[in-house]
Amino acid sequence: MVVEFNCYLFHVCSNGRLLFFLVLFVSSVSPLFLPLMAISRVWISAIVLALLLFTPALAQEEAAASSPEAEAEAAPSFVLTLDHSNFSETVAKHPFILVEFYAPWCGHCKRLAPEYEKAASILSKNDPPIVLAMVDANDDVNKELASKYEIRGFPTLKILRNGGDVIEEYKGPREADGIVEYLKKQAGPASSVIGSVEDAGSLIVDKKIFIVGIFQEFSGEKFENFIKVAEKLRADYDFGHTLEAKFLPRGDPNAKLPVVRLFKPFDELFVDFEDFDIDALEKFIESASMPIVATFDNDPSNHPFLTKFFNSPNSKALLFLNFSSENFDTFKSNLYEIAEKYKGENISFLIGDLEASQGAFQYFGLKEDQVPLIIIQENDGKKYLQPNLSPDQIASWVKEYTDGNLKPYRKSEPIPEVNNEPVKIVVADNLHEVVFNSGKNVLLEFYAPWCGHCKKLAPILDEVAISFENDGDVVIAKMDATVNDVPSEFDVQGYPTLYFSSASGKLSQYEGDRTADDIINYVKSNKDTTSHSDSTDTVKVETESTDSVRDEL
């Protein structure tokens, strides 16, 4: 269900690992690309940084979108407008339809609108026509639709096939020509027939993954399984099938058939696979399409492979250095040897150029004088850092990590020396001491400095804190979640997020109304009485934590 009161980011899907890619390399990502990404608690802070970097541009675009010129009377639309009353009936009529779930106030939706309309106009002339539609998912009458299709933010685009029986995330571009090209491909066959060398040359290009099934005939269980896999993975990969291996640019022209040949622009350039079990074939494609070491620099052709890197369930080992440094080749060679050694052991490797990786440094709270450095991030948010390392230290440090001998790294602001405001400041390094180990009842706000809802809540929390100033059992506190790691005990899906920890350690998220009276009554109803009732201690400072963050739509 879409939550309007919080500063929620885009949408949350089952797989959230991809998000971190955006932060690391936000300098090379368009703002319109951001809403496509899925997110989870672990990677949420990535988007915060991304939007912070884009704030000036977004503000200018927002102003332009709301200008009188932009609000001129619109021509008749090629985009179908759907709502709860006609959605199911309309979708059932179409074997293929793209639906945008939007909100009228959403800046990204406003920027997408002219591109979406242009694409709809072009695709209306396609043979057969491809239909684009939109639903105001912010309208109360469409809330059930928003819930059914798991709309967590705007804009969210879904491809619906076979009258709505098959639902897929739209993973294509957000500009008109890209939308048209992507949808034409998605609406056509999942796998293209390769009948000549020319066909192969036009489909199998140097900088993309391409998967070809080579068969004696286009029938039988193995061929059918190949097509099923192509249908399932078509949003992420390009597929073709042929009767002649000699048409293909690489590989044995006399290979034993049937066989699947995956072409890739890195490592061994192609690899053959003979198992046509559906699950085995899927796993092969996902594994073989990943570089042994992903590379990030300013070459945009690397970005699709970075997407796959960050979308994997593995822990991520990231080596950052200056690619122009004299020992770059040694670092790279050593990292490749280590990646080969740990292949299949749930850890993936990346080498990143300092010049292109400023987003990563902001995310992790790193400094340029720490390079060359290596950092490992696990999917539960734990991080491990080794700054200023030499090439021959990489192997021993990774072994220390895999042996479980390293202490996690945590991003934190300094513990404040003075903390005498009504709402106490908490940082990652003293959160556990204040919230869990103080023996007090603590209401904690996770906020972002740029969040409008957080700014509105600030004086309300001040009022709440003042009302409890003579109650030594209660602490009202806040933490800037954009510059402090959020511990895994908390699920911060937006800003502001409020949690209450009783003196006995019972932790619960506050989801009531954000008025002073409601919050005060909640604290009074849920607090435990301790022996500190005559105390007016100020919050002190000290220990532990780890995790992530979010963003305002």
Side-chain angles (χ1 to χ4, degrees):
M1 183 174 183
V2 176
V3 181
E4 300 163 37
F5 190 55
N6 271 13
C7 301
Y8 269 75
L9 265 126
F10 310 128
H11 65 282
V12 180
C13 297
S14 60
N15 186 349
R17 292 180 286 272
L18 181 60
L19 221 297
F20 181 59
F21 162 61
L22 287 178
V23 180
L24 275 180
F25 310 121
V26 68
S27 61
S28 61
V29 180
S30 159
L32 292 181
F33 180 62
L34 295 175
L36 288 173
M37 299 296 99
I39 47 183
S40 72
R41 176 179 50 75
V42 173
W43 307 116
I44 200 76
S45 48
I47 286 288
V48 175
L49 293 171
L51 287 190
L52 284 173
L53 290 175
F54 287 125
T55 297
L58 295 181
Q60 292 171 6
E61 292 180 34
E62 190 70 45
S66 60
S67 66
E69 292 81 5
E71 295 177 0
E73 186 174 343
S77 177
F78 288 91
V79 177
L80 297 183
T81 299
L82 306 181
D83 59 25
H84 72 292
S85 67
N86 65 355
F87 186 92
S88 297
E89 179 184 358
T90 303
V91 169
K93 293 178 181 177
H94 298 284
F96 183 95
I97 184 171
L98 178 66
V99 181
E100 176 199 2
F101 294 86
Y102 76 98
W105 45 261
C106 163
H108 291 292
C109 304
K110 292 175 183 177
R111 285 184 289 278
L112 176 61
E115 300 295 323
Y116 199 68
E117 178 64 40
K118 182 179 177 182
S121 173
I122 295 170
L123 291 170
S124 69
K125 303 175 181 67
N126 193 63
D127 184 19
I130 297 175
V131 178
L132 277 64
M134 61 183 184
V135 175
D136 180 355
N138 191 59
D139 192 327
D140 286 341
V141 300
N142 296 322
K143 292 296 184 185
E144 286 190 17
L145 282 175
S147 178
K148 176 181 177 180
Y149 289 94
E150 300 180 346
I151 308 305
R152 307 298 187 194
F154 307 114
T156 295
L157 286 82
K158 303 271 188 177
I159 292 174
L160 307 183
R161 299 180 187 271
N162 304 332
D165 291 341
V166 178
I167 305 167
E168 300 173 359
E169 294 294 325
Y170 173 86
K171 298 181 180 180
R174 296 284 175 114
E175 43 80 26
D177 291 342
I179 294 171
V180 169
E181 180 181 359
Y182 183 84
L183 290 183
K184 282 183 176 181
K185 176 188 165 188
Q186 291 298 310
S191 180
S192 302
V193 177
I194 298 175
S196 66
V197 171
E198 290 72 24
D199 288 345
S202 65
L203 294 170
I204 304 170
V205 295
D206 287 342
K207 294 190 176 183
K208 292 183 69 177
I209 301 287
F210 198 92
I211 301 114
V212 182
I214 313 169
F215 301 91
Q216 289 107 336
E217 57 184 0
F218 296 151
S219 62
E221 182 181 2
K222 293 183 177 181
F223 176 74
E224 290 172 2
N225 284 356
F226 177 81
I227 296 299
K228 287 177 182 177
V229 171
E231 287 282 2
K232 185 174 181 179
L233 302 182
R234 64 183 300 163
D236 298 307
Y237 301 97
D238 294 331
F239 291 83
H241 53 278
T242 185
L243 299 175
E244 297 286 351
K246 67 183 181 182
F247 293 154
L248 305 180
R250 292 184 291 276
D252 183 359
N254 299 310
K256 181 182 176 182
L257 305 184
V259 66
V260 173
R261 185 164 294 169
L262 184 145
F263 294 90
K264 52 185 176 178
F266 48 80
D267 301 337
E268 67 269 55
L269 299 183
F270 77 92
V271 59
D272 286 353
F273 190 71
E274 297 179 357
D275 189 344
F276 283 82
D277 174 78
I278 289 176
D279 289 340
L281 189 50
E282 286 184 32
K283 289 177 182 177
F284 160 72
I285 291 170
E286 295 291 350
S287 174
S289 62
M290 280 287 299
I292 294 170
V293 175
T295 300
F296 183 80
D297 52 19
N298 287 319
D299 182 355
S301 66
N302 284 324
H303 294 177
F305 309 114
L306 295 170
T307 298
K308 297 180 192 304
F309 174 85
F310 287 107
N311 204 29
S312 82
N314 292 347
S315 296
K316 281 80 178 173
L318 311 142
L319 173 66
F320 293 108
L321 71 159
N322 191 327
F323 278 17
S324 61
S325 63
E326 62 182 20
N327 56 359
F328 168 73
D329 289 337
T330 307
F331 270 105
K332 184 176 180 180
S333 175
N334 286 10
L335 189 65
Y336 267 80
E337 288 182 14
I338 295 164
E340 284 279 14
K341 177 180 177 180
Y342 288 96
K343 192 172 182 179
E345 296 193 26
N346 301 318
I347 181 169
S348 300
F349 292 83
L350 174 143
I351 187 167
D353 187 3
L354 173 63
E355 182 182 348
S357 305
Q358 296 307 305
F361 279 63
Q362 292 184 50
Y363 171 74
F364 287 121
L366 303 173
K367 297 179 174 62
E368 291 190 12
D369 61 10
Q370 293 176 300
V371 299
L373 67 83
I374 187 168
I375 189 162
I376 292 176
Q377 176 144 1
E378 298 176 343
N379 284 330
D380 64 358
K382 288 182 181 177
K383 297 182 282 288
Y384 302 84
L385 172 67
Q386 177 60 55
N388 306 120
L389 82 168
S390 61
D392 57 5
Q393 289 179 303
I394 302 173
S396 59
W397 186 83
V398 172
K399 187 176 187 304
E400 286 285 294
Y401 164 75
T402 57
D403 289 345
N405 296 329
L406 297 181
K407 182 179 179 180
Y409 159 80
R410 176 176 52 226
K411 179 176 67 174
S412 177
E413 291 181 290
I415 295 171
E417 296 182 6
V418 178
N419 205 359
N420 54 14
E421 294 298 321
V423 177
K424 307 306 175 187
I425 296 172
V426 171
V427 298
D429 280 344
N430 73 342
L431 185 146
H432 275 70
E433 180 69 20
V434 172
V435 177
F436 297 121
N437 300 332
S438 66
K440 298 188 178 185
N441 302 280
V442 181
L443 181 76
L444 176 63
E445 176 202 17
F446 295 96
Y447 75 96
W450 40 260
C451 164
H453 294 300
C454 304
K455 293 175 182 177
K456 292 177 183 177
L457 183 61
I460 296 171
L461 287 185
D462 283 339
E463 184 179 345
V464 172
I466 291 169
S467 76
F468 287 106
E469 63 183 352
N470 294 319
D471 186 341
D473 292 338
V474 175
V475 174
I476 309 300
K478 63 182 180 180
M479 187 174 90
D480 181 349
T482 68
V483 289
N484 293 280
D485 282 335
V486 178
S488 56
E489 292 93 334
F490 302 94
D491 185 18
V492 178
Q493 296 291 326
Y495 295 133
T497 292
L498 297 170
Y499 271 88
F500 181 77
S501 178
S502 69
S504 61
K506 181 181 178 182
L507 184 67
S508 58
Q509 186 170 351
Y510 176 77
E511 297 181 307
D513 290 338
R514 293 177 187 166
T515 66
D517 287 343
D518 283 298
I519 296 173
I520 290 168
N521 290 335
Y522 178 88
V523 173
K524 287 180 176 179
S525 299
N526 289 275
K527 78 185 186 84
D528 297 327
T529 302
T530 73
S531 60
H532 305 294
S533 56
D534 59 349
S535 169
T536 56
D537 296 348
T538 57
V539 174
K540 295 182 194 151
V541 291
E542 252 136 54
T543 356
E544 275 170 58
S545 146
T546 338
D547 225 80
S548 289
V549 213
R550 253 223 181 168
D551 189 345
E552 188 169 37
L553 209 58

